[in-house]
Amino acid sequence: MNDASQDAVDSAAEKQYDLTVAAEELVNELYKYLEQVKNSFQVAVNEIMRLEEQQAIIDNT
């Protein structure tokens, strides 16, 4: 019985490790994608701020 329990624990640990390794690449890809999205939003925010500053300079009188 002890051997069977140990085999089950070992098997579960191995499966968990395999899933972790398989997920690592996908998680890294997701992280890179989210960094790109964040950078795109930052560019957009910077452009909006630039346009707002430019608009404030314009004299409509």
Side-chain angles (χ1 to χ4, degrees):
M1 184 68 172
N2 253 354
D3 289 340
S5 295
Q6 187 60 48
D7 287 346
V9 168
D10 291 345
S11 178
E14 185 177 335
K15 287 178 183 177
Q16 181 180 13
Y17 175 78
D18 291 344
L19 289 171
T20 302
V21 169
E24 182 177 16
E25 184 176 341
L26 294 173
V27 169
N28 286 337
E29 286 179 28
L30 176 61
Y31 178 77
K32 288 177 187 176
Y33 175 73
L34 291 175
E35 281 293 314
Q36 290 174 346
V37 169
K38 181 184 87 169
N39 290 338
S40 295
F41 275 115
Q42 188 60 53
V43 167
V45 166
N46 290 343
E47 182 64 10
I48 290 169
M49 290 173 63
R50 185 188 70 77
L51 291 172
E52 286 178 343
E53 288 172 2
Q54 189 176 26
Q55 182 68 29
I57 293 171
I58 297 174
D59 184 8
N60 288 329
T61 58

